[in-house]
Amino acid sequence: MRKFFLGVIFCLCASVAAATEVTIAALGDSLTQGYGLPADQGFVPQLGVWLADHEGDSGAISGVEVALINAGVSGDTTAGGAARAAWTLTPEVDALIVALGGNDMLRGLDPGVARANLEAILQAAQQAGVAVLLVGMQAPGNYGPAYKAEFDAIYPDLAAQYGALYAESFFAGLEGLRDDPAALGHYMQTDGIHPNAKGVTRIVAALGPKVLDLVARAQGG
């Protein structure tokens, strides 16, 4: 009888432990993958450290073990992300960070196509019952005002349509430096496109609170 009760207690403890685990997949391109950085300094590993350091900042994440999956592929477009969405959303995934569109924009691809691809990802997540944080991108002005307006509108529109959490910009942590190229250079790699490790730290600090909200939503909070 004593062994029976010990077995019941063990099973209950195991159930509680399982209930406190949240797995987040970060679906993105080189910015997510960690291009040009040591393995422990990319976006995903730095986000993991930030979440651990800020566990007490949110009741929803207190005592929760968050596992992060790096589903970033360097050079990927929204089309690539849409093609990978189904097998990224494995049964253990509870939440999804979507940070795609930068390469579509850099190549001047049709914003309508990017919208359709991102919508396909959100639909796949919805069907899987997975909470989503959609991270926005902004097009530069050199493609013209019409292109910029159409591209920039994709993210808030889709977030509202699908009830996803929304972060306005992946680079929000560096926005205050945009008008000072010399200062911004301290946080960028030599290509001027990808952040260095210090830049990623600022990016993670800005996006981190949104990820805490994502954890809460994944838990049904």
Side-chain angles (χ1 to χ4, degrees), residues 26-29 71-73 76-77 79-89 100:
L27 183 67
D29 49 32
V73 173
D76 216 2
T77 61
R84 295 189 291 118
W87 56 264
T88 298
L89 293 166
L100 285 161

Side-chain angles (χ1 to χ4, degrees), residues 153-219:
I154 293 171
Y155 299 89
D157 287 355
L158 289 179
Q161 181 179 344
Y162 286 89
L165 293 168
Y166 171 58
E168 185 174 353
S169 173
F170 185 88
F171 290 102
L174 300 176
E175 285 300 326
L177 303 172
R178 291 286 184 174
D179 296 329
D180 188 347
L184 181 62
H186 289 298
Y187 299 98
M188 301 296 291
Q189 297 183 42
T190 55
D191 62 10
I193 297 173
H194 299 91
N196 59 27
K198 292 187 295 184
V200 172
T201 299
R202 291 179 65 111
I203 287 167
V204 165
L207 282 175
K210 291 288 187 180
V211 181
L212 291 178
D213 292 341
L214 182 63
V215 173
R217 183 167 291 191
Q219 292 186 287

Side-chain angles (χ1 to χ4, degrees), residues 114-125:
R115 178 184 286 266
N117 291 330
L118 288 169
E119 185 166 14
I121 295 170
L122 292 174
Q123 288 174 345

Side-chain angles (χ1 to χ4, degrees), residues 128-161:
V130 167
V132 175
L133 169 60
L134 182 61
V135 182
M137 297 279 175
Q138 287 75 44
N142 57 300
Y143 291 117
Y147 183 98
K148 179 172 176 58
E150 185 179 358
F151 187 93
D152 292 1
I154 293 171
Y155 299 89
D157 287 355
L158 289 179
Q161 181 179 344

